[in-house]
């Protein structure tokens, strides 16, 4: 009996140990906390937006408990800042802005796009007046700041004063002065929730001391995407695409030009911020436009394929560029670049070996024995006889040849001796031969 009890007790101990060995690490892994730090420094541009997008994606895949956006910038491109704002707004992971030195202009928008703001001693936030400070620009940016602040529980009035200096903020900025707050002032206005020098200190304020911290910094991929999203680079790409299509049309063939346009369009597309569904639509329109242009080249004279192809091409480029007013400016600049490139290449390509393979460069010149009409200069000063009446045009015979001719003045009857006094291209002018002595 005692032996049976001992056996049961031993079996229970073994089962408990096995269960602990199997489930223990899994349970620990599920309870372990992690956080991610995304560092934004320098000028805000497309590379910063690419960094934030990558960092948020990794945080969501890893199940991080918080994202710390470490900010030190004097501003930059508003469109890139708006893209970062949208990314921070869309994530379900709590976001903490840590202003380490400055969050000015576009940096201020990114800071208030986070749910929590923490500032390092001596740091500042604000000074977001747009350049140029037109009424339209101020109104648009002010609306963005106000809405972003309200969505994240920050005081919209403070955010508006950072953009519009008309009213200021009593006690912190007089009317006519743009609002910029120190870390102490931001704490007084409850814009900042605490003071921290490092990301770990910021996480401590939200009881995430034991979280494993992962850091995200810009890499070469982010820099490349940022460069490709630059408006001037995109303008150049549009110009190259249109120039390639124009050259393809000029060479009247389907080849290098259309392939080049496809490759450049693909690079532009992958560097954009569109969703997969939107990208597929744009790809379809872009390739469809090139295909229709190709059909127009092999079926000249129809016209409908060419018009439809050009409309699809420009429409797809417009959507690639974001379908905004700025996209229209980029398209306009691209057209100018395309015309210049086409003018330059159009003059030099006929002399190149590559162009010689796809274009007809042989000319039928007079030096090579080609003429557009029969050379009748051999008849000059020769004599003949009229076959028909010249009134003033008719036909004469010179030797054994019939020659169309015109009289130099009046009527010349049939079977009259004449001589050629002038040859102008195909025109042979004759006059009666005066009677001899």
């Amino acid at each position: 009996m005692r032996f049976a009890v001992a056996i049961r007790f031993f079996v229970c101990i073994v089962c408990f140990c096995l269960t602990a060995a199997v489930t223990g690490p899994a349970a620990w892994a599920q309870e372990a906390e992690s956080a991610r730090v995304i560092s934004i420094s320098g000028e805000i541009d497309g590379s910063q937006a690419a960094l934030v997008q990558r960092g948020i994606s990794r945080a969501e895949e890893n199940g991080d408990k918080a994202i710390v956006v470490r900010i030190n910038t004097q501003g930059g491109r508003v469109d890139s800042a708006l893209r970062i704002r949208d990314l921070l707004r869309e994530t379900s992971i709590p976001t903490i802005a840590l202003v380490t030195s400055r969050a000015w202009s576009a940096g201020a928008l990114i800071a208030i796009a986070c749910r929590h703001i923490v500032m390092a001693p001596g740091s500042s936030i604000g000074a977001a007046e747009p350049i140029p400070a037109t009424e339209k620009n101020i109104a648009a940016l002010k609306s963005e700041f106000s809405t972003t602040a309200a969505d994240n529980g920050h005081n919209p009035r403070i955010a508006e004063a950072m953009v519009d200096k008309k009213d200021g903020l009593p006690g912190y900025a007089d009317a006519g002065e743009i609002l910029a707050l120190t870390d102490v002032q931001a704490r007084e206005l409850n814009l900042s929730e605490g003071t921290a020098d490092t990301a770990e200190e910021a996480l401590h304020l939200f009881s995430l001391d034991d979280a494993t911290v992962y850091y995200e910094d810009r890499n070469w991929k982010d820099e490349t995407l940022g460069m490709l999203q630059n408006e001037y680079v995109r303008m150049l790409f549009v110009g190259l695409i249109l120039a390639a299509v124009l050259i393809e049309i000029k060479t009247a063939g389907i080849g290098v030009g259309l392939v080049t346009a496809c490759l450049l369009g693909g690079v532009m597309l992958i560097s954009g911020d569109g969703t997969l569904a939107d990208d597929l639509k744009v790809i379809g329109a872009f390739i469809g436009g090139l295909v229709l242009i190709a059909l127009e080249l092999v079926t000249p004279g129809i016209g409908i394929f060419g018009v439809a192809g050009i409309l699809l091409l420009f429409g797809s480029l417009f959507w690639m560029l974001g379908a905004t007013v700025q996209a229209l400016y980029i398209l306009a600049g691209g057209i100018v670049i395309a015309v210049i490139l086409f003018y330059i290449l159009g003059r030099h390509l006929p002399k190149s070996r590559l162009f010689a393979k796809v274009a007809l460069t042989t000319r039928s010149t007079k030096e090579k024995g080609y003429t557009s009409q029969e050379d009748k200069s051999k008849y000059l000063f020769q004599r003949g006889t009229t076959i028909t009446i010249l009134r003033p045009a008719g036909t004469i015979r010179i030797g054994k040849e019939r020659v169309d001719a015109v009289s130099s003045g009046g009527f010349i009857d049939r079977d009259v001796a004449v001589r050629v006094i002038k040859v102008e291209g195909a025109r042979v002018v004759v006059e009666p031969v005066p009677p001899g002595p």
Side-chain angles (χ1 to χ4, degrees):
M1 185 70 177
R2 291 180 178 176
F3 180 74
V5 172
I7 291 296
R8 290 175 183 173
F9 179 75
F10 177 75
V11 171
C12 289
I13 292 296
V14 171
C15 290
F16 175 79
C17 292
L18 290 175
T19 302
V22 173
T23 63
W28 177 83
Q30 291 176 357
E31 294 176 359
E33 295 180 334
S34 61
R36 198 161 300 263
V37 179
I38 302 174
S39 299
I40 295 179
S41 60
E43 183 177 358
I44 303 298
D45 57 18
S47 65
Q48 307 276 13
L51 165 64
V52 173
Q53 184 174 21
R54 177 169 55 84
I56 291 177
S57 296
R58 290 184 176 179
E60 291 174 342
E61 292 171 0
N62 194 52
D64 293 341
K65 298 296 182 181
I67 296 173
V68 178
V69 183
R70 192 164 53 187
I71 304 171
N72 179 20
T73 177
Q74 297 183 32
R77 296 181 58 85
V78 175
D79 56 345
S80 297
L82 289 172
R83 174 60 181 159
I84 295 173
R85 186 278 309 272
D86 293 340
L87 291 168
L88 294 170
R89 175 188 286 177
E90 291 165 3
T91 183
S92 59
I93 300 175
T95 52
I96 306 167
L98 171 60
V99 181
T100 59
S101 181
R102 301 173 186 86
W104 295 354
S105 191
L109 178 62
I110 295 172
I112 64 174
C114 296
R115 300 182 191 177
H116 309 282
I117 299 176
V118 176
M119 299 180 66
S123 61
S124 59
I125 184 174
E129 185 178 36
I131 299 175
T134 63
E135 183 177 352
K136 180 180 178 180
N137 288 344
I138 291 174
L141 194 58
K142 181 179 178 180
S143 174
E144 295 288 353
F145 267 70
S146 180
T147 303
T148 303
D151 288 346
N152 291 283
H154 308 306
N155 189 336
R157 180 69 187 86
I158 297 174
E160 291 173 1
M162 293 179 180
V163 178
D164 189 356
K165 63 185 179 182
K166 181 175 62 176
D167 299 324
L169 189 71
Y172 296 91
D174 295 331
E177 293 180 350
I178 204 71
L179 178 64
L181 300 172
T182 65
D183 62 299
V184 175
Q185 292 172 326
R187 186 70 181 274
E188 293 173 353
L189 292 170
N190 294 321
L191 181 65
S192 170
E193 298 179 36
T195 302
D197 278 310
T198 65
E200 288 75 12
E201 292 179 7
L203 290 170
H204 170 72
L205 297 175
F206 300 94
S207 302
L208 290 171
D209 305 74
D210 299 327
T212 302
V213 181
Y214 300 96
Y215 290 85
E216 301 289 347
D217 293 294
R218 277 186 295 181
N219 56 28
W220 67 269
K221 292 181 180 179
D222 301 325
E223 297 286 355
T224 302
L225 286 175
M227 180 188 68
L228 292 175
Q229 290 178 1
N230 181 277
E231 62 181 352
Y232 296 108
V233 174
R234 291 196 151 196
M235 190 180 294
L236 176 61
F237 266 68
V238 170
L240 291 173
I241 290 172
L242 297 179
V245 173
L246 288 173
I247 289 172
E248 189 69 21
I249 294 173
K250 183 179 187 298
T251 60
I254 305 172
V256 178
L258 293 182
V259 172
T260 302
C262 281
L263 292 176
L264 292 172
V267 172
M268 279 187 61
L269 191 65
I270 63 175
S271 67
D273 300 321
T275 62
L276 178 60
D278 291 337
D279 287 348
L280 291 176
K281 295 176 185 177
V282 174
I283 289 172
F286 184 77
I287 295 179
L290 294 180
V291 169
L292 289 173
I293 291 173
L295 287 175
E296 180 65 27
L297 294 178
V298 298
T299 56
I302 294 179
I304 186 172
F305 291 142
V307 173
I310 291 172
L311 290 176
L312 278 177
L313 178 62
F314 275 93
S316 61
L317 288 174
F318 178 68
W319 283 103
M320 278 187 199
L321 298 170
T324 61
V325 175
Q326 186 183 31
L328 294 176
Y329 291 134
I330 295 176
L331 276 176
I335 292 173
V336 173
I337 293 174
V339 170
I340 294 173
L341 288 175
F342 181 66
Y343 175 75
I344 295 173
L345 294 176
R347 297 175 59 188
H348 295 283
L349 273 178
K351 300 177 182 179
S352 70
R353 294 179 181 178
L354 177 62
F355 193 86
K357 294 179 180 180
V358 296
L360 180 63
T361 56
T362 303
R363 296 182 180 181
S364 301
T365 62
K366 184 176 181 180
E367 289 75 13
K368 294 181 179 180
Y370 296 95
T371 60
S372 60
Q373 56 191 9
E374 182 184 356
D375 185 8
K376 296 185 177 182
S377 60
K378 62 182 181 179
Y379 299 125
L380 187 61
F381 305 128
Q382 291 194 29
R383 296 191 177 192
T385 305
T386 59
I387 299 175
T388 66
I389 299 174
L390 273 58
R391 309 180 177 183
T395 304
I396 66 173
R397 184 184 302 279
I398 299 178
K400 296 182 180 181
E401 297 182 32
R402 294 169 62 93
V403 180
D404 293 330
V406 295
S407 70
S408 60
F411 172 91
I412 303 179
D413 202 355
R414 185 183 292 110
D415 297 325
V416 175
V418 293
R419 64 179 179 183
V420 179
I421 61 173
K422 186 186 300 182
V423 176
E424 298 175 338
R427 185 168 178 264
V428 177
V429 182
V430 298
E431 68 177 5
V433 177

